[in-house]
């Protein structure tokens, strides 16, 4: 037993010396290729075995011939180990370089094309993560391009819509200043109307900027959808009478929701004003609310004749108007964008689809717990 313990001690001392030297070498080459590190690991393994063997052989007073035999065997093992480590290292380096080239193309704005061939589990996992990140970035770039197009369209519409009322205000102010206005009272009323329109546009822009900046602060409270719809119908009734449009809101369930009453009233008001302005005289705008799978869906159906299928995905985009504007005249195309922003801030969803004779806007909101 003592002999075995002594052999173990000699072997451990010899191997530990080789291991310590290998650790120093690994630290020196830590910034080099992984192939170099693998070669060092293989060399340390064989050297540790050789050092331990030689230490034991010297302690056991082996003959020169036996010592030579052991040394040759270990040397052959070292040769094979080094060759294997170099082949493995070159293979890993080649796969790493291919992945680096693919990542470089990905970083320069292109899509990520995973390198072909087998790879280690770690490199394969990294490849999958890069592919997933590439897909997310590609979707983000598409959204950014769409937002930029919407911003450009919005700026164009805002410039157009501001120029006309401002020119009118200037002309009326000059006429009043020069005493050329035949009916000053009418001019004053017209100026007030134009200022109100401009104020509404600025208010919409401010609201939309808060939504896009994530600065929309909600004060939710528990209320019934029936009450929300009732208030919105009351507010829109004068406009409906002016346009000769019937408002119908009989099919409204009294479902409780947790929402900001002021903001949701604005959502329904925007939808109702939009529907009324695009429904011909003697037409009908119907409001309904029902419970569907843990959510309440409020819908506004108009008689606009429908929206072209290619325009449906863009209806809620900022500044979009389409061939025939879905926002009030001289508006900035912000009404429906504000609707979507407020609804999504409530963890809801805003959608639109065509129905016979018109289209239906649907707002889905989570029902109140309990």
């Amino acid at each position: 037993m003592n002999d075995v313990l002594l052999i173990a001690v000699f072997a451990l001392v010899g191997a530990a010396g080789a291991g310590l030297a290998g650790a120093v070498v690994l630290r020196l080459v830590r910034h080099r290729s992984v192939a170099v590190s693998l070669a060092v690991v293989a060399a340390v393994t064989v050297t540790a075995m050789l050092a331990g063997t030689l230490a034991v052989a010297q302690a056991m007073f082996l003959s020169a011939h036996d010592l030579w035999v052991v040394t040759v065997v270990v040397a052959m093992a070292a040769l094979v180990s080094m060759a294997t480590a170099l082949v493995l290292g070159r293979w890993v380096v080649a796969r790493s370089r291919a992945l680096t080239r693919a990542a470089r193309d990905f970083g320069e704005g292109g899509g990520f094309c995973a390198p072909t061939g087998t790879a280690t589990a770690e490199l394969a996992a990294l490849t999958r993560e890069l592919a997933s990140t590439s897909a997310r970035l590609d979707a983000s770039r598409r959204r950014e391009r769409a937002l930029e197009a919407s911003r450009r369209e919005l700026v164009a519409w805002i410039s157009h819509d501001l120029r006309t009322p401002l020119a009118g205000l200037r002309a009326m102010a000059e006429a009043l200043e020069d005493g050329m206005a035949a009916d000053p009272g009418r001019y004053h009323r017209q100026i007030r109307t134009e200022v109100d329109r401009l104020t509404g546009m600025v208010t919409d822009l401010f609201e939309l900027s808060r939504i896009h900046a994530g600065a929309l602060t909600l004060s939710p409270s528990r209320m019934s959808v029936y009450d929300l719809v009732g208030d919105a119908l009351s507010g829109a009734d004068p406009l409906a009478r002016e346009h000769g449009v019937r408002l119908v809101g009989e099919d409204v369930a009294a479902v409780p929701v947790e929402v900001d009453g002021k903001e949701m009233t604005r959502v329904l008001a925007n939808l109702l004003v939009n529907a009324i302005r695009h429904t011909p005289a003697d037409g009908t705008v119907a409001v309904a609310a029902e419970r569907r799978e843990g959510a309440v869906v409020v819908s506004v159906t108009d008689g606009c004749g429908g929206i072209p299928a290619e325009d449906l995905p863009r209806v809620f985009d900022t500044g979009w108007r389409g061939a025939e504007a879905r926002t009030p005249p001289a508006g900035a195309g912000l009404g429906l964008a504000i609707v979507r922003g407020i609804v999504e801030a409530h963890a809801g969803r805003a959608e639109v689809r065509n129905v016979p004779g018109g289209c239906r806007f649907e707002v889905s909101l989570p029902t109140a717990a309990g």
Side-chain angles (χ1 to χ4, degrees):
M1 184 66 183
N2 291 335
D3 292 340
V4 173
L5 184 59
L6 187 60
I7 291 173
V9 170
F10 276 105
L12 179 60
V13 171
L20 183 60
V24 172
V25 175
L26 280 176
R27 180 173 178 79
L28 294 175
V29 300
R30 63 185 182 278
H31 298 302
R32 302 292 296 276
S33 170
V34 68
V36 176
S37 297
L38 286 174
V40 171
V41 170
V44 168
T45 302
V46 175
T47 304
M49 183 177 64
L50 179 59
T53 302
L54 291 177
V56 171
Q58 291 293 337
M60 293 178 65
F61 302 104
L62 291 181
S63 66
H65 177 269
D66 292 341
L67 185 58
W68 172 250
V69 170
V70 170
T71 304
V72 170
V73 171
V74 172
M76 294 301 102
L79 205 58
V80 173
S81 299
M82 290 292 293
T84 304
L86 288 174
V87 171
L88 176 62
R90 288 175 63 85
W91 178 74
V92 171
V93 168
R95 296 299 179 271
S96 299
R97 287 175 178 170
L99 188 58
T100 300
R101 288 192 296 271
R104 186 183 300 117
D105 295 338
F106 160 47
E108 291 174 354
F112 178 76
C113 182
T116 58
T118 57
T120 63
E122 293 78 10
L123 289 178
L126 180 58
T127 300
R128 289 192 297 271
E129 286 300 321
L130 285 174
S132 176
T133 302
S134 174
R136 290 195 297 269
L137 284 178
D138 186 57
S140 177
R141 282 193 291 265
R142 287 198 300 270
R143 287 194 300 270
E144 184 179 356
R145 286 193 293 268
L147 285 173
E148 185 59 31
S150 296
R151 290 190 189 99
R152 287 196 297 267
E153 191 174 25
L154 174 61
V155 169
W157 281 111
I158 287 289
S159 301
H160 175 270
D161 288 343
L162 287 177
R163 188 180 298 115
T164 301
L166 287 175
L169 288 171
R170 182 183 181 87
M172 287 185 285
E174 290 176 350
L176 289 170
E177 185 179 23
D178 297 338
M180 301 296 294
D183 185 359
R186 184 174 68 85
Y187 274 55
H188 287 139
R189 289 191 297 272
Q190 185 63 28
I191 289 175
R192 176 67 178 270
T193 299
E194 295 297 334
V195 170
D196 288 342
R197 288 171 58 194
L198 292 174
T199 301
M201 291 173 62
V202 172
T203 301
D204 284 348
L205 282 171
F206 177 70
E207 183 77 5
L208 192 63
S209 68
R210 287 201 304 154
I211 292 172
H212 285 172
L216 180 64
T217 303
L218 301 178
S219 301
S221 60
R222 187 184 180 92
M223 59 184 63
S224 171
V225 173
Y226 185 86
D227 295 333
L228 276 174
V229 172
D231 292 343
L233 288 173
S234 298
D237 186 64
L239 181 64
R241 291 179 182 274
E242 179 184 341
H243 285 74
V245 174
R246 293 184 298 275
L247 287 180
V248 178
E250 300 176 354
D251 189 16
V252 179
V255 183
V257 288
E258 195 87 15
V259 297
D260 186 312
K262 178 183 176 182
E263 297 296 344
M264 286 310 302
T265 298
R266 176 167 190 158
V267 165
L268 295 177
N270 281 3
L271 291 177
L272 284 172
V273 169
N274 208 39
I276 291 169
R277 291 188 182 278
H278 292 86
T279 298
D282 294 330
T284 300
V285 172
V287 183
E290 58 179 325
R291 188 193 296 268
R292 293 184 196 169
E293 299 178 358
V296 58
V297 179
V298 181
S299 62
V300 177
T301 305
D302 59 32
C304 68
I307 300 173
E310 63 273 13
D311 287 339
L312 282 175
R314 297 196 57 205
V315 166
F316 292 100
D317 288 353
T318 301
W320 180 85
R321 298 187 178 192
E324 186 174 348
R326 295 296 310 175
T327 53
L334 304 179
L336 295 178
I338 291 173
V339 165
R340 181 174 63 180
I342 295 176
V343 171
E344 290 180 350
H346 284 83
R349 186 175 67 255
E351 299 174 312
V352 61
R353 57 190 175 90
N354 285 325
V355 295
C359 60
R360 176 175 297 160
F361 288 84
E362 293 186 347
V363 171
S364 302
L365 296 169
T367 55

